[in-house]
Amino acid sequence: MKNPMKNKLLYIFSLLIVLVSCNQENNQKRLAENAKDAKKKKIIFENIQKGWDFYDEPINEATEESIKTWTELRVFMQELAQKPRKTIGAFQQKSDAISKKAMVLNMNIPVLFDKPQIKSRISVLITKVRLLDMYIHLDNIPDKKVVQLVGEINKELATLQRQMDILTEKSKIPVEEGEDEMRRMLLDSARAIPNNTVMPTVIPVGTRGIINPNDARVE
């Protein structure tokens, strides 16, 4: 007759072996998945780090001059100049900071640039920056889209700066001497003449007293 205790021990031992094997297999799968996920995140980080290249300095005279008095634009450009380095979390924090700086670009615009075309470019720029901030905070970050938006933001910055340069150049065009004074005189003369004024008929010298046969006669 077999020993019941021995059979029970063998059963328990076999069960333990099975459980240990399952745990090892699960651990191996988990480690493989973690390694795959880490590799994917590394590739995303490297792609974003490589493509994160903003125009952090003014590319024309107009912008360089304007940021001296346009504090919001100057701070925004300074924020772009500070590139994150170590982790994707650092890029997320930087994106959030850039978005906040972009949101106030419509404030305190210098008089020279306070024009519809400038405000329109700023609105588009803000939209692009906010999209960048949204995409980089997703759980599954679309790195290609993030890099694409960086390029689009650079294009919007360049367009904005060209518009500012055009306005600056127009402001430098000198007014011809006497042009303003002539305009004022013409305007004053036009205002001085009433709308219902009838201009007198001038009779040429030497024709006075000559009867025009076509004129009506008084009998």
Side-chain angles (χ1 to χ4, degrees), residues 72-119:
E72 287 74 16
L73 180 61
R74 184 176 70 252
V75 172
F76 177 72
M77 299 294 285
Q78 290 173 348
E79 197 69 56
L80 291 180
Q82 301 168 4
K83 183 176 181 178
R85 297 292 178 186
K86 296 182 179 180
T87 65
I88 196 66
F91 281 96
Q92 290 172 332
Q93 291 178 1
K94 174 56 64 177
S95 177
D96 183 61
I98 292 174
S99 181
K100 289 178 180 178
K101 300 297 187 300
M103 290 297 293
V104 296
L105 283 176
N106 271 318
M107 297 175 58
N108 302 319
I109 301 177
V111 176
L112 177 60
F113 304 123
D114 192 8
K115 304 291 188 294
Q117 60 267 41
I118 295 296
K119 292 182 177 180

Side-chain angles (χ1 to χ4, degrees), residues 24-139:
Q24 288 178 345
E25 185 177 353
N26 290 335
N27 288 336
Q28 289 176 353
K29 289 182 179 179
R30 192 180 301 108
L31 289 173
E33 289 175 357
N34 290 341
K36 184 179 180 180
D37 186 58
K39 183 178 180 180
K40 181 180 179 181
K41 289 181 178 179
K42 181 180 178 182
I43 293 174
I44 290 175
F45 170 76
E46 290 176 347
N47 288 341
I48 292 177
Q49 185 182 45
K50 184 179 179 180
W52 195 279
D53 188 16
F54 286 109
Y55 295 147
D56 53 10
E57 294 293 338
I59 61 175
N60 55 43
E61 182 181 353
T63 307
E64 186 174 5
E65 188 67 24
S66 69
I67 62 176
K68 294 179 180 178
T69 56
W70 193 353
T71 304
E72 287 74 16
L73 180 61
R74 184 176 70 252
V75 172
F76 177 72
M77 299 294 285
Q78 290 173 348
E79 197 69 56
L80 291 180
Q82 301 168 4
K83 183 176 181 178
R85 297 292 178 186
K86 296 182 179 180
T87 65
I88 196 66
F91 281 96
Q92 290 172 332
Q93 291 178 1
K94 174 56 64 177
S95 177
D96 183 61
I98 292 174
S99 181
K100 289 178 180 178
K101 300 297 187 300
M103 290 297 293
V104 296
L105 283 176
N106 271 318
M107 297 175 58
N108 302 319
I109 301 177
V111 176
L112 177 60
F113 304 123
D114 192 8
K115 304 291 188 294
Q117 60 267 41
I118 295 296
K119 292 182 177 180
S120 175
R121 297 322 319 169
I122 291 175
S123 296
V124 176
L125 177 61
I126 291 174
T127 299
K128 299 291 185 182
V129 171
R130 294 188 68 182
L131 281 173
L132 172 68
D133 189 43
M134 181 189 73
Y135 279 118
I136 203 170
H137 279 90
L138 294 176
D139 292 334

Side-chain angles (χ1 to χ4, degrees), residues 186-199:
L186 290 172
L187 183 60
D188 292 341
S189 299
R191 289 174 178 173
I193 301 174
N195 292 334
N196 59 352
T197 300
V198 178
M199 299 299 292

Side-chain angles (χ1 to χ4, degrees), residues 2-18:
K2 297 181 178 180
N3 189 340
M5 181 61 69
K6 184 177 180 181
N7 291 338
K8 188 175 181 180
L9 290 174
L10 288 173
Y11 174 77
I12 293 173
F13 183 71
S14 300
L15 183 61
L16 288 173
I17 292 176
V18 172

